């Protein structure tokens, strides 16, 4: 497969994944509504969503050839804010 075809296929897969993410958002909203009606249904749907998310993550990693980031446990540091932002000034562009 030449580079152009590969890029076209990768773009198609990424577009499909983005569409799938939008669908998952709609499903999550529906689940939130159903928690009031049936907590058991909500738990079942949440488990299914985890499975779909893992599958999507795996596909993205294969396409982008990136390894997953490792979670770090511990106490988060203080937020870092640029001195320019803190003073309300913006950098000048020459």
């Amino acid at each position: 497969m030449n580079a152009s075809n590969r890029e076209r296929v990768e773009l198609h897969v990424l577009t499909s994944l983005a569409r799938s993410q939008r669908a998952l958002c709609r499903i999550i909203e529906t689940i939130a509504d159903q928690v009031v009606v049936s907590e058991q249904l909500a738990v079942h749907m949440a488990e299914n969503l985890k499975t779909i998310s893992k599958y999507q993550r795996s596909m993205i990693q294969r396409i982008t050839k990136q390894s997953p980031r490792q979670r770090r446990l511990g106490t988060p540091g203080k937020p870092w804010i640029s001195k320019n932002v803190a003073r309300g000034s913006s950098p000048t562009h020459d």
Side-chain angles (χ1 to χ4, degrees), residues 2-14:
N2 66 30
S4 176
N5 285 340
R6 180 173 174 77
E7 288 174 357
R8 196 172 302 132
V9 168
E10 288 176 355
L11 179 60
H12 178 71
V13 171
L14 290 173

Side-chain angles (χ1 to χ4, degrees), residues 1-50:
M1 181 183 306
N2 66 30
S4 176
N5 285 340
R6 180 173 174 77
E7 288 174 357
R8 196 172 302 132
V9 168
E10 288 176 355
L11 179 60
H12 178 71
V13 171
L14 290 173
T15 301
S16 296
L17 286 170
R19 199 170 29 245
S20 178
Q21 285 295 314
R22 287 190 297 273
L24 285 175
C25 288
R26 289 192 305 270
I27 291 169
I28 290 169
E29 289 175 354
T30 302
I31 290 172
D33 293 338
Q34 294 302 316
V35 169
V36 176
V37 177
S38 171
E39 189 172 326
Q40 186 178 17
L41 173 64
V43 169
H44 180 67
M45 293 289 283
E47 290 170 357
N48 288 340
L49 285 173
K50 282 183 187 178

